[in-house]
Amino acid sequence: MRTLHVAPLLRFHLDDEPRPGHAVLVTGDRVEAVAPVDELTGAYPEVRVRRWNGTLGPALVHDGPLPPAPTPRERVHALFRLGAAAVLADHVTDPALRAATVRNEVAVLAADRPPALVVGGRADLAVFAADGSCLATVVAGRLVHRRA
C-alpha cells in the first residue's frame, strides 16, 4: 500500500531548512519518492494521503538510555512519542528491551548516524510542531504514534 505523507514543511535532513510544498511517498516500509506534493498527487491520484500540521522529516536516532516506563514495550513507545525510530545498540542490552525494539521494528544501530530521508531507504518519519514536540512517528512505514 502506498501512502503520501504531506505537511506544510518538509526537511530532508534535520539540519536542512524546511521546504514548503514537498511530500514523502511511502510504499510498504520504504520511501519511494520525495518530491513536490502536486507532482506526487498527479502521478498517484488514488494514493492514500495523510496530512500533518507541522514539519515532516526523518525520524530521530535516540542516543541515550530509553525513557523510563513500567515495561519494555512502554519504554519503546516512549521513544515513538519523541519522534525516534532508531536507538543505539549500547542502550538496549537488556534482552526484554531488545526484544521489544525488534517487535516494534525500531532500528538498532551500532553507531550514531544523521537522520535523513533517502529514496529507497526505510520509511522512518516524524512530524514536529513549531515547539519541537512530536506530533506523529512512522516506523518502517507504519504509523506508531499520533498525538491526539
Side-chain angles (χ1 to χ4, degrees), residues 75-91:
R75 291 182 74 188
V76 168
H77 283 269
L79 282 178
F80 299 153
R81 289 191 299 275
L82 298 173
V87 296
L88 299 180
D90 293 348
H91 298 291

Side-chain angles (χ1 to χ4, degrees), residues 14-26:
L14 292 182
D15 57 352
D16 282 351
E17 282 297 313
R19 299 178 191 193
H22 281 70
V24 179
L25 180 65
V26 173

